[in-house]
Amino acid sequence: MGLSLGFHIIFAICGIGMPLLMCIAEWVYLRTNNLLYLTLAKRWSQGTAIMFAVGAVSGTVLSFELGLLWPTFMKFAGPVIGMPFSLEGFAFFLEAIFLGIYLYGWEKISTRAHWLTGVMVLISGTSSAILVVAANGWMNTPTGITIQNGVVTHFDPFEAMNNPAWLPQSLHMVLAAYASMGFFAAGIHAIGLLKKPENLFHQTGLRVAFWVGAVTIPLQLASGHLSAMHVAQYQPMKLAAMEGQWKTEAGAPLRIFGWPNEKEQRTEFAIEIPKMLSFLAYENPDAVVRGIADFPVDERPPIWPIHVSFQVMIFAGMAMLATALLGVFLHGKKKSFESTPWFLKLLALCSPMGFIAVEAGWMVTEIGRQPWIIWHTMRTSEALTPMPYLQIPFLFFTGLYGILSFIVVYLLRKRVFHVDA
Protein backbone atom coordinates (compact mmCIF):
# COMPACT_ATOMS: atom_id res chain seq x y z
CA MET A 1 0.00 0.00 0.00
CA GLY A 2 3.01 2.26 0.50
CA LEU A 3 3.68 1.98 -3.23
CA SER A 4 0.08 2.94 -4.08
CA LEU A 5 0.12 5.86 -1.67
CA GLY A 6 3.48 7.08 -2.97
CA PHE A 7 2.12 6.98 -6.53
CA HIS A 8 -1.29 8.47 -5.75
CA ILE A 9 0.02 11.37 -3.70
CA ILE A 10 1.75 12.91 -6.73
CA PHE A 11 -1.56 13.09 -8.60
CA ALA A 12 -3.36 14.30 -5.50
CA ILE A 13 -0.89 17.20 -5.31
CA CYS A 14 -1.51 18.05 -8.95
CA GLY A 15 -5.28 17.81 -8.42
CA ILE A 16 -4.98 20.44 -5.68
CA GLY A 17 -2.35 22.69 -7.25
CA MET A 18 -3.15 22.79 -10.97
CA PRO A 19 -6.67 24.26 -10.56
CA LEU A 20 -5.03 27.19 -8.73
CA LEU A 21 -2.79 27.85 -11.74
CA MET A 22 -5.63 27.63 -14.27
CA CYS A 23 -7.90 29.88 -12.17
CA ILE A 24 -5.18 32.55 -11.88
CA ALA A 25 -4.47 32.39 -15.62
CA GLU A 26 -8.15 32.75 -16.55
CA TRP A 27 -8.64 35.54 -13.99
CA VAL A 28 -5.74 37.52 -15.53
CA TYR A 29 -7.20 36.89 -19.00
CA LEU A 30 -10.59 38.26 -17.91
CA ARG A 31 -8.88 41.41 -16.56
CA THR A 32 -6.41 42.00 -19.44
CA ASN A 33 -7.99 40.21 -22.44
CA ASN A 34 -4.48 38.86 -23.18
CA LEU A 35 -5.02 35.66 -25.19
CA LEU A 36 -1.79 34.12 -23.87
CA TYR A 37 -3.42 33.75 -20.46
CA LEU A 38 -6.48 32.16 -22.07
CA THR A 39 -4.20 29.63 -23.79
CA LEU A 40 -2.49 28.94 -20.47
CA ALA A 41 -5.81 28.39 -18.69
CA LYS A 42 -6.92 25.93 -21.38
CA ARG A 43 -3.60 24.05 -21.40
CA TRP A 44 -3.42 23.82 -17.60
CA SER A 45 -7.06 22.66 -17.43
CA GLN A 46 -6.12 19.78 -19.75
CA GLY A 47 -3.25 18.95 -17.40
CA THR A 48 -5.70 19.02 -14.48
CA ALA A 49 -7.99 16.58 -16.32
CA ILE A 50 -5.10 14.16 -17.04
CA MET A 51 -3.92 14.22 -13.44
CA PHE A 52 -7.49 13.93 -12.13
CA ALA A 53 -8.17 10.83 -14.24
CA VAL A 54 -5.02 9.00 -13.12
CA GLY A 55 -5.54 10.14 -9.54
CA ALA A 56 -9.06 8.69 -9.62
CA VAL A 57 -7.68 5.31 -10.76
CA SER A 58 -4.94 5.17 -8.12
CA GLY A 59 -7.36 6.46 -5.46
CA THR A 60 -9.74 3.59 -6.25
CA VAL A 61 -6.86 1.14 -5.80
CA LEU A 62 -6.15 2.67 -2.39
CA SER A 63 -9.80 2.26 -1.37
CA PHE A 64 -9.67 -1.46 -2.16
CA GLU A 65 -6.33 -1.87 -0.41
CA LEU A 66 -7.61 -0.24 2.77
CA GLY A 67 -10.28 -2.90 3.10
CA LEU A 68 -8.31 -5.89 1.78
CA LEU A 69 -4.90 -5.30 3.38
CA TRP A 70 -6.01 -3.77 6.69
CA PRO A 71 -9.20 -5.68 7.71
CA THR A 72 -8.71 -5.36 11.49
CA PHE A 73 -7.95 -1.65 11.19
CA MET A 74 -11.04 -1.01 9.07
CA LYS A 75 -13.26 -3.01 11.45
CA PHE A 76 -12.01 -0.90 14.36
CA ALA A 77 -11.67 2.51 12.68
CA GLY A 78 -14.40 2.32 10.03
CA PRO A 79 -17.04 4.08 12.17
CA VAL A 80 -14.59 6.98 12.67
CA ILE A 81 -12.80 7.44 9.35
CA GLY A 82 -15.95 6.55 7.41
CA MET A 83 -17.25 10.10 7.91
CA PRO A 84 -14.27 12.02 6.44
CA PHE A 85 -13.92 9.49 3.63
CA SER A 86 -17.61 9.69 2.68
CA LEU A 87 -17.43 13.51 2.68
CA GLU A 88 -14.24 13.23 0.61
CA GLY A 89 -16.21 11.17 -1.88
CA PHE A 90 -18.79 13.97 -2.09
CA ALA A 91 -16.03 16.55 -2.69
CA PHE A 92 -14.52 14.25 -5.33
CA PHE A 93 -17.83 14.07 -7.24
CA LEU A 94 -18.20 17.87 -7.08
CA GLU A 95 -14.67 18.23 -8.45
CA ALA A 96 -15.47 15.84 -11.32
CA ILE A 97 -18.71 17.66 -12.18
CA PHE A 98 -17.22 21.16 -12.16
CA LEU A 99 -14.09 20.03 -14.00
CA GLY A 100 -16.33 18.63 -16.75
CA ILE A 101 -18.22 21.92 -17.00
CA TYR A 102 -14.93 23.83 -17.05
CA LEU A 103 -13.43 21.70 -19.83
CA TYR A 104 -16.50 21.75 -22.08
CA GLY A 105 -18.06 25.07 -21.01
CA TRP A 106 -15.82 27.45 -22.97
CA GLU A 107 -18.12 29.83 -24.93
CA LYS A 108 -21.21 27.92 -23.68
CA ILE A 109 -21.63 29.78 -20.38
CA SER A 110 -20.71 33.34 -19.39
CA THR A 111 -17.03 34.08 -18.83
CA ARG A 112 -17.59 34.88 -15.14
CA ALA A 113 -19.62 31.68 -14.60
CA HIS A 114 -16.91 29.69 -16.37
CA TRP A 115 -14.21 31.13 -14.09
CA LEU A 116 -16.36 30.32 -11.06
CA THR A 117 -16.58 26.66 -12.14
CA GLY A 118 -12.77 26.65 -12.08
CA VAL A 119 -12.85 28.09 -8.55
CA MET A 120 -15.24 25.27 -7.56
CA VAL A 121 -12.75 22.72 -8.95
CA LEU A 122 -10.08 24.35 -6.78
CA ILE A 123 -12.28 24.41 -3.64
CA SER A 124 -13.56 20.83 -4.02
CA GLY A 125 -10.07 19.47 -4.79
CA THR A 126 -8.60 21.22 -1.75
CA SER A 127 -11.53 20.08 0.44
CA SER A 128 -10.99 16.51 -0.69
CA ALA A 129 -7.37 16.66 0.46
CA ILE A 130 -8.28 18.21 3.82
CA LEU A 131 -10.84 15.47 4.54
CA VAL A 132 -8.40 12.66 3.74
CA VAL A 133 -5.74 14.31 5.90
CA ALA A 134 -8.31 14.59 8.73
CA ALA A 135 -8.59 10.79 8.70
CA ASN A 136 -4.80 10.45 8.74
CA GLY A 137 -4.59 13.05 11.51
CA TRP A 138 -6.92 10.88 13.61
CA MET A 139 -4.49 7.98 13.21
CA ASN A 140 -1.76 10.24 14.66
CA THR A 141 -3.89 11.78 17.44
CA PRO A 142 -6.98 9.58 17.95
CA THR A 143 -9.94 11.35 19.56
CA GLY A 144 -13.68 10.71 19.64
CA ILE A 145 -13.50 7.12 20.92
CA THR A 146 -14.00 5.63 24.37
CA ILE A 147 -12.35 2.30 25.18
CA GLN A 148 -13.31 0.33 28.30
CA ASN A 149 -11.59 -2.98 29.13
CA GLY A 150 -10.20 -3.15 25.61
CA VAL A 151 -13.62 -2.68 23.99
CA VAL A 152 -14.71 0.46 22.12
CA THR A 153 -17.94 1.63 23.74
CA HIS A 154 -18.44 5.01 22.04
CA PHE A 155 -17.64 6.67 18.70
CA ASP A 156 -18.02 10.35 17.86
CA PRO A 157 -16.98 10.82 14.20
CA PHE A 158 -17.17 14.62 14.35
CA GLU A 159 -14.92 14.81 17.42
CA ALA A 160 -12.62 12.35 15.63
CA MET A 161 -12.44 14.60 12.55
CA ASN A 162 -11.63 17.56 14.80
CA ASN A 163 -8.53 15.79 16.12
CA PRO A 164 -5.51 17.92 17.15
CA ALA A 165 -3.48 16.91 14.06
CA TRP A 166 -5.94 17.73 11.28
CA LEU A 167 -5.29 21.49 11.13
CA PRO A 168 -1.46 21.51 11.12
CA GLN A 169 -1.34 18.48 8.80
CA SER A 170 -3.98 19.86 6.39
CA LEU A 171 -2.35 23.29 6.24
CA HIS A 172 1.04 21.70 5.59
CA MET A 173 -0.37 19.39 2.88
CA VAL A 174 -2.35 22.05 0.98
CA LEU A 175 0.51 24.56 0.95
CA ALA A 176 2.87 21.79 -0.12
CA ALA A 177 0.60 21.07 -3.08
CA TYR A 178 0.48 24.71 -4.18
CA ALA A 179 4.25 25.24 -3.79
CA SER A 180 5.10 21.92 -5.48
CA MET A 181 2.83 22.60 -8.44
CA GLY A 182 4.14 26.15 -8.82
CA PHE A 183 7.77 25.03 -8.94
CA PHE A 184 6.97 22.01 -11.13
CA ALA A 185 5.19 24.11 -13.78
CA ALA A 186 7.81 26.89 -13.53
CA GLY A 187 10.57 24.34 -14.11
CA ILE A 188 8.84 22.86 -17.16
CA HIS A 189 8.32 26.31 -18.69
CA ALA A 190 11.95 27.18 -17.83
CA ILE A 191 13.09 24.15 -19.84
CA GLY A 192 10.91 25.37 -22.71
CA LEU A 193 12.56 28.81 -22.54
CA LEU A 194 16.06 27.32 -22.54
CA LYS A 195 15.12 25.74 -25.88
CA LYS A 196 13.09 28.70 -27.25
CA PRO A 197 14.05 31.88 -25.33
CA GLU A 198 11.58 34.15 -27.18
CA ASN A 199 8.52 31.92 -26.71
CA LEU A 200 5.75 34.05 -25.17
CA PHE A 201 3.68 31.04 -24.01
CA HIS A 202 6.51 29.73 -21.83
CA GLN A 203 7.39 33.25 -20.61
CA THR A 204 3.81 33.85 -19.48
CA GLY A 205 3.47 30.39 -17.92
CA LEU A 206 6.76 30.80 -16.07
CA ARG A 207 5.71 34.13 -14.55
CA VAL A 208 2.41 32.78 -13.17
CA ALA A 209 3.84 29.48 -11.91
CA PHE A 210 6.94 31.06 -10.35
CA TRP A 211 4.95 33.58 -8.31
CA VAL A 212 2.60 30.85 -7.06
CA GLY A 213 5.65 28.90 -5.85
CA ALA A 214 7.46 31.99 -4.52
CA VAL A 215 4.47 33.13 -2.43
CA THR A 216 3.53 29.72 -1.03
CA ILE A 217 6.97 28.26 -0.19
CA PRO A 218 7.68 30.63 2.76
CA LEU A 219 4.15 29.99 4.04
CA GLN A 220 4.85 26.28 3.72
CA LEU A 221 8.00 26.54 5.83
CA ALA A 222 6.03 28.47 8.48
CA SER A 223 3.37 25.73 8.51
CA GLY A 224 6.20 23.21 8.87
CA HIS A 225 7.24 24.99 12.07
CA LEU A 226 3.66 24.65 13.39
CA SER A 227 3.69 20.94 12.48
CA ALA A 228 7.00 20.43 14.33
CA MET A 229 5.56 22.09 17.46
CA HIS A 230 2.51 19.83 17.17
CA VAL A 231 4.67 16.70 16.83
CA ALA A 232 6.78 17.79 19.82
CA GLN A 233 3.63 17.97 21.94
CA TYR A 234 1.75 14.87 20.75
CA GLN A 235 4.40 12.53 19.27
CA PRO A 236 7.75 13.28 20.99
CA MET A 237 9.15 9.90 19.87
CA LYS A 238 8.62 10.90 16.23
CA LEU A 239 10.34 14.27 16.83
CA ALA A 240 13.34 12.56 18.42
CA ALA A 241 13.67 10.21 15.43
CA MET A 242 13.30 13.09 12.94
CA GLU A 243 16.12 15.00 14.61
CA GLY A 244 18.37 12.09 15.59
CA GLN A 245 18.04 13.16 19.24
CA TRP A 246 19.14 10.15 21.33
CA LYS A 247 19.43 11.62 24.84
CA THR A 248 16.92 13.70 26.75
CA GLU A 249 18.44 17.13 27.26
CA ALA A 250 17.68 20.79 27.85
CA GLY A 251 18.80 23.16 25.10
CA ALA A 252 18.86 20.40 22.47
CA PRO A 253 20.70 21.24 19.22
CA LEU A 254 19.23 21.18 15.72
CA ARG A 255 21.04 18.63 13.53
CA ILE A 256 21.62 19.19 9.83
CA PHE A 257 22.39 16.02 7.85
CA GLY A 258 24.01 13.23 9.93
CA TRP A 259 23.51 9.48 10.15
CA PRO A 260 21.92 7.82 13.22
CA ASN A 261 24.17 5.11 14.71
CA GLU A 262 21.61 2.94 16.50
CA LYS A 263 24.24 0.63 18.05
CA GLU A 264 26.09 3.48 19.77
CA GLN A 265 22.96 5.61 20.12
CA ARG A 266 24.35 8.80 18.60
CA THR A 267 23.99 10.72 15.33
CA GLU A 268 27.27 10.94 13.43
CA PHE A 269 28.52 13.48 10.89
CA ALA A 270 25.80 16.03 11.75
CA ILE A 271 26.19 19.81 11.80
CA GLU A 272 24.73 20.95 15.14
CA ILE A 273 23.19 24.35 15.89
CA PRO A 274 23.12 24.71 19.71
CA LYS A 275 19.69 25.03 21.40
CA MET A 276 17.89 25.47 18.07
CA LEU A 277 15.77 22.27 18.33
CA SER A 278 14.50 23.28 21.79
CA PHE A 279 13.66 26.73 20.44
CA LEU A 280 11.90 25.51 17.28
CA ALA A 281 9.95 22.78 19.07
CA TYR A 282 8.94 24.67 22.22
CA GLU A 283 9.83 28.34 21.49
CA ASN A 284 12.25 28.12 24.43
CA PRO A 285 16.02 27.63 23.82
CA ASP A 286 16.38 25.86 27.19
CA ALA A 287 13.35 23.54 26.86
CA VAL A 288 13.84 19.82 27.51
CA VAL A 289 13.57 17.57 24.43
CA ARG A 290 12.99 13.86 25.08
CA GLY A 291 15.51 11.56 23.42
CA ILE A 292 15.02 8.22 21.65
CA ALA A 293 16.67 6.32 24.53
CA ASP A 294 13.92 7.60 26.82
CA PHE A 295 11.29 5.44 25.07
CA PRO A 296 10.76 1.64 25.36
CA VAL A 297 12.54 -0.29 22.62
CA ASP A 298 9.28 -1.90 21.42
CA GLU A 299 7.71 1.56 20.94
CA ARG A 300 10.49 2.98 18.74
CA PRO A 301 10.09 3.37 14.95
CA PRO A 302 12.95 2.67 12.52
CA ILE A 303 15.24 5.65 13.19
CA TRP A 304 17.40 6.16 10.11
CA PRO A 305 14.57 6.17 7.49
CA ILE A 306 12.79 8.90 9.45
CA HIS A 307 15.88 11.04 10.04
CA VAL A 308 17.05 10.75 6.41
CA SER A 309 13.56 11.41 5.00
CA PHE A 310 13.21 14.46 7.23
CA GLN A 311 16.57 15.81 6.09
CA VAL A 312 15.59 15.27 2.43
CA MET A 313 12.31 17.14 2.98
CA ILE A 314 14.08 20.06 4.65
CA PHE A 315 16.76 20.22 1.94
CA ALA A 316 14.15 20.25 -0.86
CA GLY A 317 12.11 22.95 0.91
CA MET A 318 15.17 25.12 1.49
CA ALA A 319 16.27 24.72 -2.14
CA MET A 320 12.87 25.98 -3.32
CA LEU A 321 12.96 28.87 -0.81
CA ALA A 322 16.46 29.94 -1.94
CA THR A 323 15.36 29.81 -5.59
CA ALA A 324 12.27 31.87 -4.81
CA LEU A 325 14.38 34.50 -3.02
CA LEU A 326 16.78 34.68 -5.98
CA GLY A 327 13.85 35.20 -8.35
CA VAL A 328 12.43 37.95 -6.14
CA PHE A 329 15.91 39.56 -6.01
CA LEU A 330 16.16 39.54 -9.82
CA HIS A 331 12.66 40.99 -10.08
CA GLY A 332 13.61 43.73 -7.58
CA LYS A 333 16.66 44.58 -9.69
CA LYS A 334 14.37 44.99 -12.73
CA LYS A 335 16.00 41.96 -14.34
CA SER A 336 13.82 39.52 -16.23
CA PHE A 337 14.24 36.06 -14.70
CA GLU A 338 12.52 34.64 -17.82
CA SER A 339 15.59 35.64 -19.86
CA THR A 340 18.30 34.73 -17.32
CA PRO A 341 19.71 31.34 -18.41
CA TRP A 342 21.36 30.39 -15.10
CA PHE A 343 18.12 31.09 -13.23
CA LEU A 344 16.10 29.07 -15.76
CA LYS A 345 18.49 26.12 -15.19
CA LEU A 346 18.04 26.52 -11.44
CA LEU A 347 14.26 26.44 -11.83
CA ALA A 348 14.54 23.32 -13.97
CA LEU A 349 16.55 21.63 -11.21
CA CYS A 350 13.93 22.68 -8.64
CA SER A 351 11.04 21.34 -10.71
CA PRO A 352 10.75 17.95 -8.90
CA MET A 353 11.79 19.27 -5.47
CA GLY A 354 8.23 19.75 -4.24
CA PHE A 355 7.25 16.18 -5.11
CA ILE A 356 10.42 14.85 -3.46
CA ALA A 357 9.65 16.86 -0.32
CA VAL A 358 6.07 15.58 -0.17
CA GLU A 359 7.12 11.94 -0.60
CA ALA A 360 9.79 12.34 2.09
CA GLY A 361 7.35 14.15 4.39
CA TRP A 362 4.78 11.36 4.16
CA MET A 363 7.48 8.80 4.94
CA VAL A 364 8.26 10.80 8.09
CA THR A 365 4.56 10.89 9.01
CA GLU A 366 3.83 7.22 8.40
CA ILE A 367 7.09 5.54 9.47
CA GLY A 368 7.36 7.92 12.42
CA ARG A 369 4.05 6.61 13.81
CA GLN A 370 5.34 3.02 13.92
CA PRO A 371 4.88 0.54 15.53
CA TRP A 372 1.38 2.00 15.78
CA ILE A 373 -1.18 2.26 12.98
CA ILE A 374 -3.36 4.22 15.42
CA TRP A 375 -1.12 6.07 17.86
CA HIS A 376 -0.96 4.17 21.18
CA THR A 377 -4.22 2.41 20.34
CA MET A 378 -3.56 -0.30 17.72
CA ARG A 379 -0.25 -1.73 16.55
CA THR A 380 0.39 -2.10 12.82
CA SER A 381 1.12 -5.82 13.28
CA GLU A 382 -2.42 -6.30 14.66
CA ALA A 383 -4.07 -4.57 11.69
CA LEU A 384 -2.40 -6.24 8.69
CA THR A 385 -4.08 -8.97 6.63
CA PRO A 386 -2.75 -12.54 7.08
CA MET A 387 -3.18 -13.14 3.31
CA PRO A 388 -0.06 -14.82 1.75
CA TYR A 389 1.51 -14.08 -1.67
CA LEU A 390 1.13 -10.31 -1.42
CA GLN A 391 4.09 -10.10 -3.81
CA ILE A 392 1.76 -10.93 -6.72
CA PRO A 393 -0.59 -7.91 -6.47
CA PHE A 394 2.46 -5.78 -5.60
CA LEU A 395 4.11 -6.71 -8.92
CA PHE A 396 0.87 -6.16 -10.89
CA PHE A 397 0.30 -2.72 -9.40
CA THR A 398 3.97 -1.78 -9.90
CA GLY A 399 3.54 -2.57 -13.60
CA LEU A 400 0.26 -0.64 -13.77
CA TYR A 401 1.80 2.44 -12.15
CA GLY A 402 4.76 2.27 -14.51
CA ILE A 403 2.46 2.22 -17.56
CA LEU A 404 0.31 5.06 -16.18
CA SER A 405 3.42 7.16 -15.48
CA PHE A 406 4.58 6.77 -19.07
CA ILE A 407 1.13 7.74 -20.40
CA VAL A 408 0.94 10.81 -18.16
CA VAL A 409 4.37 12.10 -19.22
CA TYR A 410 3.47 11.55 -22.90
CA LEU A 411 0.10 13.36 -22.57
CA LEU A 412 1.57 16.28 -20.62
CA ARG A 413 4.24 16.80 -23.27
CA LYS A 414 1.74 16.58 -26.14
CA ARG A 415 -1.30 18.35 -24.67
CA VAL A 416 -0.08 20.82 -22.02
CA PHE A 417 3.50 22.02 -22.47
CA HIS A 418 3.93 21.48 -26.24
CA VAL A 419 4.50 24.58 -28.36
CA ASP A 420 4.24 24.59 -32.14
CA ALA A 421 7.48 25.53 -33.89
Side-chain angles (χ1 to χ4, degrees):
M1 188 166 177
L3 174 73
S4 297
L5 183 59
F7 181 80
H8 176 72
I9 201 168
I10 298 298
F11 298 93
I13 292 169
C14 297
I16 303 167
M18 286 208 79
L20 177 63
L21 294 179
M22 73 183 195
C23 284
I24 292 174
E26 187 175 7
W27 178 73
V28 176
Y29 163 68
L30 293 176
R31 291 178 62 86
T32 64
N33 213 30
N34 185 332
L35 291 176
L36 278 170
Y37 288 97
L38 177 63
T39 303
L40 266 181
K42 289 185 175 180
R43 292 287 191 90
W44 282 341
S45 67
Q46 291 177 16
T48 302
I50 294 167
M51 294 299 190
F52 179 85
V54 179
V57 172
S58 56
T60 304
V61 173
L62 278 174
S63 301
F64 280 114
E65 288 181 341
L66 262 179
L68 295 174
L69 299 181
W70 307 96
T72 309
F73 167 74
M74 289 304 293
K75 181 180 179 181
F76 179 86
V80 174
I81 64 173
M83 179 61 75
F85 275 130
S86 60
L87 293 176
E88 190 272 338
F90 179 70
F92 172 79
F93 284 124
L94 283 181
E95 186 180 5
I97 291 167
F98 283 109
L99 180 59
I101 297 172
Y102 191 89
L103 288 171
Y104 297 101
W106 297 101
E107 300 175 0
K108 293 183 175 63
I109 56 179
S110 70
T111 54
R112 188 175 296 276
H114 187 269
W115 180 74
L116 286 175
T117 60
V119 173
M120 288 305 299
V121 174
L122 173 63
I123 292 173
S124 51
T126 302
S127 301
S128 185
I130 290 172
L131 289 163
V132 171
V133 172
N136 183 266
W138 179 80
M139 294 164 67
N140 286 320
T141 53
T143 54
I145 58 172
T146 304
I147 301 176
Q148 293 181 343
N149 300 323
V151 178
V152 178
T153 58
H154 174 70
F155 284 108
D156 185 337
F158 294 104
E159 185 182 346
M161 286 177 62
N162 192 33
N163 61 78
W166 84 266
L167 181 58
Q169 279 194 227
S170 297
L171 186 63
H172 202 49
M173 184 70 226
V174 170
L175 287 171
Y178 293 156
S180 300
M181 204 60 235
F183 275 95
F184 175 72
I188 298 297
H189 287 296
I191 293 171
L193 285 173
L194 286 169
K195 296 177 179 176
K196 300 177 180 179
E198 304 301 324
N199 186 277
L200 294 177
F201 170 74
H202 284 310
Q203 288 180 10
T204 309
L206 176 59
R207 277 195 295 273
V208 176
F210 170 77
W211 285 113
V212 167
V215 169
T216 52
I217 189 62
L219 298 175
Q220 168 66 346
L221 294 180
S223 77
H225 174 56
L226 294 177
S227 292
M229 293 178 67
H230 168 84
V231 170
Q233 180 179 356
Y234 290 95
Q235 295 179 303
M237 176 65 244
K238 182 186 288 187
L239 178 74
M242 288 160 57
E243 299 289 352
Q245 179 71 30
W246 289 93
K247 297 178 181 177
T248 298
E249 66 177 303
L254 181 74
R255 292 177 178 81
I256 301 173
F257 306 123
W259 182 263
N261 184 331
E262 297 196 32
K263 186 177 180 180
E264 298 183 10
Q265 297 200 349
R266 63 192 180 95
T267 300
E268 300 172 328
F269 314 118
I271 301 169
E272 296 188 355
I273 304 176
K275 298 192 175 189
M276 187 57 74
L277 176 58
S278 291
F279 177 73
L280 291 176
Y282 298 102
E283 297 185 334
N284 178 358
D286 296 317
V288 175
V289 177
R290 293 182 68 186
I292 298 167
D294 206 24
F295 296 87
V297 174
D298 66 346
E299 293 186 7
R300 297 179 192 172
I303 304 301
W304 75 261
I306 302 169
H307 181 71
V308 172
S309 298
F310 182 66
Q311 296 295 320
V312 169
M313 181 184 72
I314 296 297
F315 174 80
M318 289 299 176
M320 290 189 289
L321 178 65
T323 305
L325 292 175
L326 281 172
V328 172
F329 175 77
L330 288 175
H331 180 74
K333 291 290 184 181
K334 308 296 181 187
K335 294 181 179 178
S336 170
F337 50 69
E338 304 98 300
S339 57
T340 306
W342 66 264
F343 186 71
L344 295 177
K345 292 176 183 175
L346 192 59
L347 276 177
L349 287 174
C350 276
S351 188
M353 288 294 181
F355 298 146
I356 292 171
V358 170
E359 294 281 8
W362 272 104
M363 287 183 69
V364 171
T365 301
E366 296 304 302
I367 300 175
R369 194 179 55 243
Q370 302 308 312
W372 310 98
I373 191 168
I374 305 171
W375 185 249
H376 283 192
T377 302
M378 177 183 282
R379 287 180 179 266
T380 305
S381 57
E382 299 168 348
L384 186 62
T385 178
M387 189 185 93
Y389 304 114
L390 286 173
Q391 301 91 332
I392 296 174
F394 174 79
L395 290 174
F396 273 109
F397 282 119
T398 301
L400 171 66
Y401 296 149
I403 294 169
L404 286 174
S405 299
F406 175 79
I407 293 172
V408 166
V409 171
Y410 175 80
L411 289 175
L412 287 179
R413 290 189 64 180
K414 287 291 182 184
R415 303 292 299 179
V416 182
F417 296 107
H418 172 73
V419 177
D420 294 329

